[in-house]
Amino acid sequence: MSKDEIKIFCPATIANVSCGFDVLGLALDGVGDEMVVRKTDQRGVSIKKITGQDLPLDPQKNVAGAAVLALLDAYDGDAGFEIEIDKRIKPGSGIGSSAASAAGAVWAVNQLLGNPFTKLQLVAFAMQGEKVASGVAHADNVAPAIYGGFTLVRSYHPLDVVALPSPKELYAIVIHPQIEIKTADSRKVIKANISLEKGIKQWGNLAGLVAGLFTEDYDLIGRSLEDHIIEPIRSILIPGFDDIKAASMAAGALGCGISGSGPSIFALSKRSDKAQNVAAAMKDTYQKLNVDFDVHVSKINIEGIKVIKK
Ligand code: ADP
């Protein structure tokens, strides 16, 4: 592969992680898209090919194109790129399908330009892609894709992203019932106001989770994986949510909640054997309920987007 072309793995991500609506996220291993980005003589960006899913080739409508256009706007020079996307994360699955493309595209372009932009700037460009997908420039999927591991969006204005440590034995399990929920639609069901009582519970849990990640305190991580604000409302849209949650907790999960805007459900667990037990319990539950699904068991991906060597 020449220095004018790069092939990358763009990881799936879990946003919100129960108590961190719009601010917390983590990157997965093994589940993700592949993307080839090439320098061209033609200024701007074009999407040459998309395999795996039917998505817009128009760069203004594809999140990868929109994110690169935001980067090129800020770039001091002339440059042009073409992109090929092998889409393996289904759009509307709740594991950051659009974020993988938006983050991957700007990460690859930055590499081909000799890294003029910081990770934080790349997050800001990728957020412009997310805006095309859901109408909201959220960063909780693109930040972990770009930084790897767990990330906290401490502030949106100004943008401030904090990379958090990932305990070594932490695994994520994701089950995706085969229905599509658009982020834009699942945002509509959320209330704009919360009570002080709920706020106190939520920021207690968010701080507890962050402390648990730093101290590798798996029990504290588990106790903190609660969501009193979004989950009670959004879980109604997800088939068998309560059954999956009960089964995964009985199988030893530290906690279980909605991945991003759903319908995927995630659980965290300590050690690979526990993670396999949790995955089996989730599968069994959906088989009994006759719900079709995909399931992924993954370590936390501390690298984020990476080059695929050929
Ligand atoms: P997810 O949370 O899985 O990313 P979203 O509902 O946020 O799902 O985003 C999917 C929407 O973004 C779809 O309407 C899809 O057509 C649009 N989209 C545009 N470009 C892409 C892309 N490269 N990858 C995924 N979705 C894209």
Side-chain angles (χ1 to χ4, degrees):
M1 206 159 272
S2 80
K3 66 176 176 21
D4 288 342
E5 181 176 310
I6 191 169
K7 185 174 184 182
I8 58 168
F9 168 75
C10 315
T13 45
I14 296 175
N16 302 340
V17 200
S18 293
C19 51
F21 180 66
D22 268 4
V23 300
L24 260 193
L26 66 89
L28 296 171
D29 241 349
V31 200
D33 295 348
E34 290 186 7
M35 188 183 273
V36 175
V37 181
R38 210 171 285 121
K39 258 189 180 168
T40 59
D41 297 333
Q42 194 97 34
R43 277 180 66 179
V45 58
S46 62
I47 316 277
K48 277 280 157 224
K49 193 165 104 182
I50 301 174
T51 47
Q53 291 290 327
D54 191 14
L55 289 166
L57 288 167
D58 178 347
Q60 316 259 12
K61 296 202 177 113
N62 193 299
V63 299
V68 172
L69 288 171
L71 180 152
L72 290 177
D73 251 1
Y75 181 62
D76 192 16
D78 285 344
F81 297 92
E82 58 183 40
I83 299 176
E84 292 173 14
I85 304 170
D86 185 8
K87 188 52 51 197
R88 297 172 182 200
I89 315 169
K90 290 185 189 132
S93 56
I95 51 171
S97 176
S98 49
S101 289
V106 293
W107 190 90
V109 163
N110 193 45
Q111 292 277 319
L112 294 172
L113 290 173
N115 293 308
F117 296 109
T118 63
K119 283 182 180 174
L120 187 66
Q121 287 173 304
L122 296 183
V123 171
F125 302 139
M127 285 166 69
Q128 294 310 309
E130 286 288 62
K131 203 169 173 185
V132 169
S134 67
V136 181
H138 61 100
D140 49 349
N141 290 105
V142 294
I146 288 169
Y147 283 76
F150 279 82
T151 55
L152 171 73
V153 184
R154 202 232 14 115
S155 153
Y156 274 87
H157 305 289
L159 187 63
D160 187 0
V161 174
V162 183
L164 302 171
S166 303
K168 281 174 226 49
E169 294 189 290
L170 201 57
Y171 280 76
I173 307 98
V174 179
I175 191 153
H176 174 210
Q178 304 293 291
I179 59 163
E180 187 179 344
I181 298 183
K182 289 252 163 69
T183 303
D185 293 337
S186 69
R187 277 192 174 265
K188 285 185 201 140
V189 300
I190 298 171
K191 298 196 182 90
N193 296 302
I194 61 163
S195 66
L196 182 60
E197 189 195 355
K198 284 191 177 161
I200 291 168
K201 284 186 179 168
Q202 199 90 346
W203 56 66
N205 282 319
L206 181 55
L209 180 53
V210 171
L213 294 175
F214 271 96
T215 55
E216 304 214 3
D217 183 337
Y218 293 88
D219 288 337
L220 176 57
I221 292 170
R223 293 201 300 283
S224 307
L225 286 170
E226 284 188 338
D227 172 8
H228 297 282
I229 297 173
I230 311 295
E231 184 178 298
I233 303 170
R234 273 190 176 165
S235 59
I236 296 163
L237 302 171
I238 303 173
F241 177 82
D242 293 341
D243 296 325
I244 290 278
K245 184 162 178 164
S248 61
M249 295 308 286
L254 295 168
C256 173
I258 303 171
S259 176
S261 54
S264 287
I265 303 169
F266 82 96
L268 295 184
S269 75
K270 187 182 177 187
R271 295 205 318 266
S272 148
D273 54 339
K274 275 264 172 64
Q276 295 300 345
N277 291 346
V278 171
M282 286 176 155
K283 279 187 207 171
D284 192 43
T285 306
Y286 266 163
Q287 269 156 1
K288 283 191 185 130
L289 294 174
N290 267 323
V291 176
D292 287 336
F293 60 85
D294 282 338
V295 67
H296 311 287
V297 177
S298 165
K299 274 205 96 147
I300 309 302
N301 168 4
I302 55 170
E303 260 184 287
I305 299 162
K306 49 195 149 194
V307 174
I308 300 170
K309 298 216 170 68
K310 276 243 145 181

